[in-house]
């Protein structure tokens, strides 16, 4: 009986401490891109770079960029953002496109860079990730 | 003595598990609309619809749309958004207007659709709901 | 042995309750300003004022405004926002500028009002504060 109680206590304590350490050591941020405006696209990509290089976050932040609506423009092969995207991807940024947008705008995945990932809906992704503790930024 | 300790343990464990189950089963999102631009209004309403239909969220998400500033346009009877709003409301979306905006723009509640709800300030609502764990989306 | 177990239990319980009380009593919000558009700047400052005056938040909310990109305009001595900023600062709002932006735009701190604070990157600040439980608003 005592053993069970002790195990229960330890289990609970360790659980809380693990959760707390997770919360302290790792930052995660999800960026939204829903504009096809060249200035907004470039600002968003530069903002992500700045966040990665912030001395308080270096090596401690995971970033995902979710494009939906007009934001799909940034991921298209016929657009001039490949090297900027590649640079972010090399630093571990996950580049994600909304599949609803592809359907609505009749764009095939072949038109996007091969290193793009997909999510059923960009908005669902933003909701789910925030629920999991990710910070959200709308540039 | 042992009984008290055991109860304390169980209470703590159950508490954590209840909190964890709450966190897993239910998503809540608050959308902000502060523009009178027709494209932004329609995009916002479509984004909400897409989130409701995301296979990962279906039947598991509660959504509130808070309009303030120019966003009040979406709720006015003399504007063309009634059927789009009604469709969202039928799916459980709470449509909320900022009372500060009504005062600042001298708009009476009679000018808005009867199914609109009110909050003292749209910004306060966004702050409070995030604090309660709601995800936030600025379309 | 029993004493240790009891202490473990109490420690865990008190920890959870402290965390819960913290979460309930205090609202914190970080606003982002990344536009040099006069209307956006004035809307942002007015939105913050409205949040401070929301009856649900009065005396219970801490607000920080982070400017980056074009948002630096709001803090420049040669711009017309001094009295609006001063009013917010008198109410306890922390006014913060991104140092990356100053470097990128070759702006010196002497060009900004003396009551402005600084952060290595505006985006890093938005990520870190949300992680610490602050609500985020993009006006």
């Amino acid at each position: 009986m005592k053993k069970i109680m002790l195990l229960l206590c330890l289990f609970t304590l360790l659980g809380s401490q693990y959760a707390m350490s997770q919360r302290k050591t790792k930052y995660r941020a999800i960026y939204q891109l829903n504009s096809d405006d060249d200035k907004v696209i470039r600002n968003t990509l530069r903002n992500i770079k700045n966040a990665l290089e912030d001395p308080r976050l270096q090596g401690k932040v995971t970033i995902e960029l979710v494009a939906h609506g007009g934001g799909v423009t940034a991921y298209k092969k016929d657009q001039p953002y490949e090297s900027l995207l590649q640079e972010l991807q090399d630093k571990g940024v996950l580049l994600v496109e909304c599949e609803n947008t592809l359907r609505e705008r009749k764009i095939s995945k072949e038109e996007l860079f091969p290193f793009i990932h997909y999510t059923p809906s960009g908005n669902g992704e933003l909701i789910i990730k925030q629920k999991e503790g990710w910070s959200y930024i709308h540039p």
Side-chain angles (χ1 to χ4, degrees), chain A residues 11-132:
Chain A
F11 181 74
T12 312
L13 267 177
L14 289 174
S16 328
Q17 276 165 7
Y18 175 74
M20 280 175 70
S21 73
Q22 282 284 75
R23 213 175 296 157
K24 270 178 197 158
T25 52
K26 190 74 181 167
Y27 295 97
R28 295 167 297 169
I30 188 159
Y31 278 75
Q32 176 182 23
L33 178 57
N34 61 346
S35 167
D36 60 2
D37 183 280
D38 178 67
K39 207 182 139 196
V40 174
I41 293 174
R42 291 186 189 276
N43 278 344
T44 301
L45 302 180
R46 196 178 56 249
N47 284 344
I48 292 176
K49 212 181 145 197
N50 282 341
L52 287 167
E53 290 170 358
D54 187 304
R56 300 168 296 178
L57 295 179
Q58 270 179 335
K60 290 189 279 187
V61 64
T62 301
I63 293 183
E64 175 175 335
L65 172 62
V66 175
H68 66 98
V72 67
T73 304
Y75 293 159
K76 290 181 78 177
K77 286 177 186 166
D78 60 5
Q79 298 294 321
Y81 308 108
E82 181 168 15
S83 64
L84 288 172
L85 293 172
Q86 197 72 65
E87 190 189 350
L88 291 181
Q89 214 218 356
D90 289 348
K91 292 179 175 165
V93 176
L94 193 70
L95 304 164
V96 177
E97 172 59 32
C98 167
E99 291 176 329
N100 272 333
T101 300
L102 296 187
R103 260 193 307 278
E104 284 163 12
R105 301 185 177 223
K106 303 194 195 324
I107 295 169
S108 81
K109 291 185 181 179
E110 282 67 42
E111 295 175 61
L112 306 192
F113 296 116
F115 48 79
I116 302 301
H117 295 79
Y118 296 90
T119 185
S121 86
N123 274 256
E125 186 74 3
L126 294 172
I127 292 170
I128 290 166
K129 284 291 163 71
Q130 284 185 72
K131 177 74 175 172
E132 292 172 357

